[in-house]
Amino acid sequence: MNSPETAAGNTAAAPICSAKGCRADAVWVLAWNNPKLHTPERRKTWLACEEHREHLSSFLDVRGFLKDVVTLAEWESRGPGSDAP
């Protein structure tokens, strides 16, 4: 969820949607893992705007990767290092 601005130490930009070509602000966090590559407790994340949440969720779910969908605010309130669904 880092952007080049935050990685460089500049002003933090709002997180954006992970859908290809989308530059909308992220509202949702889609937590997932690929059981062939990741341990069961590991969570990777994609960010989604309102428009792309269903599409990205379906993409992950049909592959059996989707573990949780929560608002960005809820995800951030869990604190650093918390990958719990």
Side-chain angles (χ1 to χ4, degrees):
M1 291 193 321
N2 286 337
S3 68
E5 291 83 8
T6 57
N10 297 336
T11 304
I16 61 167
C17 181
S18 298
K20 185 176 182 178
C22 184
R23 304 302 295 166
D25 289 346
V27 179
W28 297 95
V29 174
L30 288 61
W32 63 278
N33 83 356
N34 179 340
K36 292 182 180 180
L37 302 175
H38 308 121
T39 59
E41 65 280 352
R42 172 83 187 271
R43 294 294 181 264
K44 303 282 283 179
T45 57
W46 280 356
L47 302 177
C49 63
E50 287 292 345
E51 181 181 350
H52 293 111
R53 181 186 59 87
E54 186 175 333
H55 172 73
L56 293 173
S57 294
S58 294
F59 179 90
L60 292 168
D61 194 38
V62 76
R63 290 157 178 78
F65 295 173
L66 187 63
K67 302 301 178 191
D68 199 14
V69 178
V70 298
T71 65
L72 179 60
E74 181 182 344
W75 186 267
E76 289 175 338
S77 73
R78 293 178 180 182
S82 175
D83 289 340

